[in-house]
Amino acid sequence: MSNQTPPSRQLIGGRFAEDTDAFVEEFTASVMFDQRMAHQDIEGSRAHAAMLAKQDIISAQDKADILRGLDEISAEVTAGTFPWSVGLEDVHMNIEARLTEKVGMAGKRLHTGRSRNDQVATDIRLYLRTALDEISAEIDRLLEGLLMQADANADAVMPGFTHLQTAQPVTVGHHLMAWFEMLLRDADRIRDCRRRMNVSPLGAAALAGTSYPIDRHFTAEQMGFTGPAENSLDAVSDRDFAIEFCSDAAILMMHLSRISEELVLWSSAQFSFIDLPDRFCTGSSIMPQKKNPDVPELIRGKSGRVYGHLFSLLTLMKSQPLAYNKDNQEDKEPLFDTVDTLMGSLRAFADMVPAISFRHDDMREAALRGFSTATDLADYLVVKGLAFRDAHEVVGQAVRLGLETKRDLAEMELSELQEFSAAIEQDVFGVLSLEGSVASRDHFGGTAPNQVREAVKRGRARKAWLAVGTE
Ligand code: ARG
């Protein structure tokens, strides 16, 4: 080959009569994005080299040279001085070529009994495992903020909605604990994904394993995997874990979009339920009065790209024959962007939630205006002996009077209420008050303030596994 031979041809070009087309070289390269896995690639190489030496496949001296070279490369990557080359196609060949530059023959022996196919599968799992732990820590921080706010707002009353119409009064803490439940399930899904993905593909080589006397259990253990993947064909071609993560991420973003939507509504002048801290909002370039809830809006919008990445990966893997195919190189960008989007969204939320202030007076006023205790009046009449359907009719008439005279049920005279049913007595006002209404829903999972406080306590215990890290 000529002096102009591209670097990748120098590494793996033996069987080619002509150089790679310049555009094809660029088009097929992945180093622009897979260099993000450099440290994982080095970790995999360290384990592989240690195993090769332990099995007498390479010498102790080769191993020492390789590890020293990898340490230097790791420092270069961290410092940003590593000389990445598109001509070397991907992160794996870039690092291998650099290693050989540094330590000579030992570097050339590192690839014994290994292929980029098991190497890349290993790298992605190592990368994602760390990402999952970081994501779990951010969810934990967000859940902590929700528990704090739920406890602080356990007594405050707001309208609960169905169809976005005022339905029944609930406590603010109860509403926040609903968000907590959604996100705790998400954390559990992430934990489950981590458990299933934490196996080592290394040693599957290109697809069929290798004739060298390797020890896959050793490398798996070195890298903190629970064990080696069972089947070499599956090990190099399985991307289920990436799809599973994106699916978990899509559900999580869906949850964040729902919470975002409520924050956007609640911070509007029309609802006026909350104040978002100024540092999470921006102004308008033309309307001086505006304070826009940009962070929740943006997160609501970002859910779209994560759903898209899930579909990219599902479609990428659809109909792929065993084993490795170059298609798989397309798994990284959707996966990385999902990690970035999720981390950013969780971080913003975890920072923002503890700083939200709730306008208790306005929330209470909204619950009053919406006849939210109408169901309580109906239940009261049932206790006094009416059939529920008849009670429903009586209360409907009372609500109509309230609408006509712009008053809540609790603001009516006893004599007025008695026009609708003689069963109504003075004690009705205990039932019609917002505080009486929420306090009466005093069962497991109910909205009563003391139930919310109990739920917060249980919540703290139920999420304890998150703080100690995933198993
Ligand atoms: N850059 C490739 C990827 O991301 C690495 C594996 C390439 N293997 C191969 N035989 N071409 O999937």
Side-chain angles (χ1 to χ4, degrees), residues 263-264 267-269 274-285 287-297 355-357 359:
L263 295 177
V264 170
S267 61
S268 70
I274 57 169
D275 256 323
L276 286 177
D278 283 358
R279 61 185 184 280
F280 293 97
C281 300
T282 62
S284 157
S285 55
M287 297 165 283
Q289 86 285 10
K290 290 291 291 291
K291 176 175 157 182
N292 296 329
D294 287 50
V295 169
E297 286 177 278
I356 298 173
S357 64
R359 298 168 178 262

Side-chain angles (χ1 to χ4, degrees), residues 33-99:
F33 47 85
D34 67 15
Q35 58 179 267
R36 183 193 278 238
M37 305 189 302
H39 287 294
Q40 289 76 20
D41 197 70
I42 291 168
E43 185 182 348
S45 290
R46 283 196 182 112
H48 186 65
M51 184 279 292
L52 291 176
K54 180 179 89 68
Q55 299 297 98
D56 285 327
I57 302 168
I58 62 171
S59 68
Q61 186 57 54
D62 279 346
K63 172 187 153 186
D65 290 346
I66 289 170
L67 294 183
R68 175 174 49 80
L70 289 174
D71 282 348
E72 286 177 29
I73 290 172
S74 174
E76 287 177 354
V77 170
T78 303
T81 56
F82 185 92
W84 296 107
S85 154
V86 174
L88 281 163
E89 195 178 321
D90 56 24
V91 62
H92 324 293
M93 293 212 286
N94 266 268
I95 290 179
E96 189 189 326
R98 184 78 178 144
L99 182 67

Side-chain angles (χ1 to χ4, degrees), residues 34 36 38 88 115 121 141 168 177 215 253 260 263 268 295 303 319 321 323 341 367 371 397 428 437 444 459:
D34 67 15
R36 183 193 278 238
L88 281 163
S115 153
R141 213 158 63 81
Q168 293 174 350
M177 286 306 285
D215 183 348
M253 288 303 294
S260 293
L263 295 177
S268 70
V295 169
S303 58
S319 313
T341 305
F371 301 101
Q397 290 167 4
V428 75
S437 169
F444 186 95

Side-chain angles (χ1 to χ4, degrees), residues 141-157:
R141 213 158 63 81
L142 172 51
L143 290 174
E144 197 56 51
L146 285 173
L147 289 174
M148 184 276 283
Q149 289 280 25
D151 206 40
N153 295 279
D155 296 291
V157 178

Side-chain angles (χ1 to χ4, degrees), residues 225-242:
F225 289 116
T226 51
E230 286 277 343
N231 178 289
S232 67
L233 294 168
D234 179 53
V236 290
S237 60
D238 166 26
R239 295 293 183 273
D240 294 5
F241 61 93

Side-chain angles (χ1 to χ4, degrees), residues 30 34 89-90 92 116-117 120 324 326 328-329 332:
S30 55
D34 67 15
E89 195 178 321
D90 56 24
H92 324 293
R116 280 185 295 155
N117 297 351
V120 70
Y324 177 86
K326 182 76 168 178
N328 290 358
Q329 182 165 295
K332 286 167 206 66

